[in-house]
Structures are given as C-alpha cells and as structure tokens.
Amino acid sequence: MWGLGALISMSLAYVAYHKQHLTRSGSLAAIVVGTTVVGGTGLLGFLVLAYFFATSSYLSKWRKGSDGSQAVAVEHKGDQRDAYQVLANGGVAAGCALIFAFSPSPWWLFGFAASLAAASSDTWASEVGKNSPSLPLDLLTRKKVAKGTSGGITLPGTVASMIGAWSTALVSWPLLHQQLSHIPNVDLGATTTSILILLGLAGWIGNWVDTFVGAKWQGLYHCPKCQRMTEHKHHCHQAGRLVKGTTWLNNDAVNALCTGSAALVAILLTFIFLT
C-alpha cells in the first residue's frame, strides 16, 4: 500500500501543482501526507483526505470568482497551499494513520477522521463566510470585523462549518466500517450513528477552537505601505505593525491546533460513550 500511496499522491500532487492549488513545497508535503495516509489506512482513508482537499479547493476557487463587492479585506497567503498549510491541515491525520499502521486501535481512526472533519469545518466556514452579505462578528468582542479576519464568524459560515464537519465524518464511515469490523469487541451495528455524531461533533469543536484561538491570540498586522491588514509579519517588503494577538502564533499554527484538538476530542468522546 505504501508504494501505491506514493504513486497516487505524486500523480495528484503533480496535477494540483499545475492547477495552482499547491506550491512546490505544498506538493512535496502533500506527497508525504498522502503516502502515509494510504499506507496506514488504505484507499478508503485516502478518500477522506481527497474529499477534504477537493471540496476546500473548489470552495476557494468559488470564492475567488464571486462578486467583487465581496472582496476580502484581510490578506492571507492565497489559494495555493504551501507545505505549512498542508501539514497544518493534514499532518495530524497522517500522524494518526501512521500510528494506526503499527498499532491498529480504533481510537487512532477516530482521531484521523475527526482531524479531517475539523479541517473541512474550518475551511468551509472560512470560504463560505467570505461570501456572506454581512460583515463577520469577532467571536470575543462581538464587533464587526473585515471579511477573512481570524476569529470572525458569520451565520452562513457557521452553517457551512457544520455541514463540512458531518459530511466528512460521513465520508469516513466506509473506512471505519472496513477497519473496525476486524477489531474484537466493536459492535458496529449498535454504534454507527453514535460514531458519526461524535466524529462530526469533534470536528465542529475543532473549528471553534480555531475560531477562539484566532480571535484571542493570532497575530494580525497593519502594513504601513499598502494600508492593508495582513497575517504576515512582513508585507510589501516592510515590517508590519502588530495590532492584535501575538507574534508567535500564525494561521498555520492555529489550523494545527484545530485539527489536533479535534482528534483529541474524538478519542475522548468515543472512549467515554462507546466503552
């Protein structure tokens, strides 16, 4: 499976790179993540990863082609994902898949699925929220903020985050059914609905962790040259002025906390309610 995973991942990364979904470093990171996921969880695990990447890429392009009146006021890295972004969204899933390959416990599968549910939830919330007819509200201050600001929430984005989380959990079910059916003392018939609810919930909680941390601690800077708000410390070849959060926490770190917390919550919830 590892060789097949490498072949599939390299092929898709090549296509994604030429379609400008991934940078060169992002392509290399995607190959590592994809190979590990296939090697640890098989093709059904890769299906879950592919679902996240395909839907997030589509939403990103859909947002990019929307009405100019909905332009995002806060500048991010752009539509091409680099290695940091790929690992922030898929690194936890790859880690769970790797551990499962050598220690086939159901808890690692739950963590795998929930981390990708959180990544989908966060991405769907962000991309759909940027097309909201109204400005987002800061989670903590409840004041209106520019579209794209970390920690901002909208009603369409919140609904999309729920759909993203539970749809990813649903896509993960063939993988869970295939793998868990070989593990003793796991009654799939009695726990299917419970598992899907818990995994979707864990993914949604991960999104809210992302939103809270983004609102509370993520760094936001003002560029003195172009007068734009940005999450980069340096913009237009100049140092930005910190206007919010801390300098050591960027969007990639927040995304990693999102997926990592979702995996942990999923393991805890399934352990509490299914044992």
Side-chain angles (χ1 to χ4, degrees), residues 95-118:
C96 289
L98 182 62
I99 296 174
F100 181 78
F102 297 98
S103 178
S105 167
W107 315 117
W108 299 117
L109 282 183
F110 297 148
F112 168 83
S115 69
L116 291 176

Side-chain angles (χ1 to χ4, degrees), residues 3-269:
L4 178 61
L7 180 62
I8 294 174
S9 299
M10 286 189 290
S11 300
L12 294 180
Y14 177 82
V15 173
Y17 174 74
H18 284 279
K19 287 184 174 293
Q20 298 185 330
H21 293 307
L22 295 171
T23 64
R24 184 171 298 178
S25 68
S27 299
L28 294 175
I31 292 172
V32 173
V33 170
T35 300
T36 305
V37 168
V38 175
T41 63
L43 293 178
L44 290 178
F46 189 80
L47 174 64
V48 187
L49 179 65
Y51 175 78
F52 157 69
F53 182 76
T55 55
S56 61
S57 296
Y58 170 78
L59 287 173
S60 179
K61 295 298 181 182
W62 167 71
R63 184 261 302 169
K64 185 177 180 180
S66 65
D67 184 358
S69 63
Q70 306 295 332
V72 180
V74 177
E75 184 176 332
H76 295 269
K77 287 185 176 180
D79 295 326
Q80 283 186 285
R81 290 176 172 81
D82 60 22
Y84 293 109
Q85 291 170 297
V86 170
L87 294 175
N89 286 290
V92 172
C96 289
L98 182 62
I99 296 174
F100 181 78
F102 297 98
S103 178
S105 167
W107 315 117
W108 299 117
L109 282 183
F110 297 148
F112 168 83
S115 69
L116 291 176
S120 294
S121 181
D122 175 50
T123 302
W124 286 41
S126 177
E127 300 299 346
V128 173
K130 290 172 186 175
N131 286 278
S132 172
S134 58
L135 289 174
L137 299 177
D138 186 276
L139 177 65
L140 301 180
T141 66
R142 310 303 296 174
K143 294 181 180 179
K144 291 183 178 180
V145 294
K147 292 182 179 180
T149 302
S150 294
I153 57 174
T154 64
L155 179 58
T158 300
V159 173
S161 71
M162 297 175 64
I163 297 174
W166 270 282
S167 65
T168 305
L170 185 62
V171 171
S172 72
W173 179 245
L175 164 70
L176 298 174
H177 186 275
Q178 179 195 65
Q179 298 291 347
L180 297 181
S181 62
H182 301 297
I183 299 176
N185 304 320
V186 177
D187 185 358
L188 293 177
T191 59
T192 298
T193 302
S194 298
I195 290 175
L196 294 180
I197 290 174
L198 292 175
L199 293 183
L201 178 61
W204 200 47
I205 290 174
N207 170 67
W208 283 105
V209 169
D210 180 288
T211 304
F212 176 80
V213 174
K216 184 72 174 177
W217 293 297
Q218 184 176 339
L220 186 65
Y221 304 85
H222 178 262
C223 176
K225 184 174 182 179
C226 68
Q227 301 298 310
R228 289 177 64 88
M229 303 300 292
T230 176
E231 294 179 349
H232 300 294
K233 294 181 181 180
H234 294 85
H235 194 257
C236 296
H237 306 289
Q238 295 186 20
R241 177 175 60 87
L242 183 69
V243 296
K244 174 186 173 184
T246 60
T247 60
W248 53 268
L249 191 67
N250 61 17
N251 186 253
D252 296 327
V254 173
N255 286 340
L257 287 173
C258 167
T259 56
S261 61
L264 180 60
V265 169
I267 292 172
L268 291 176
L269 288 179

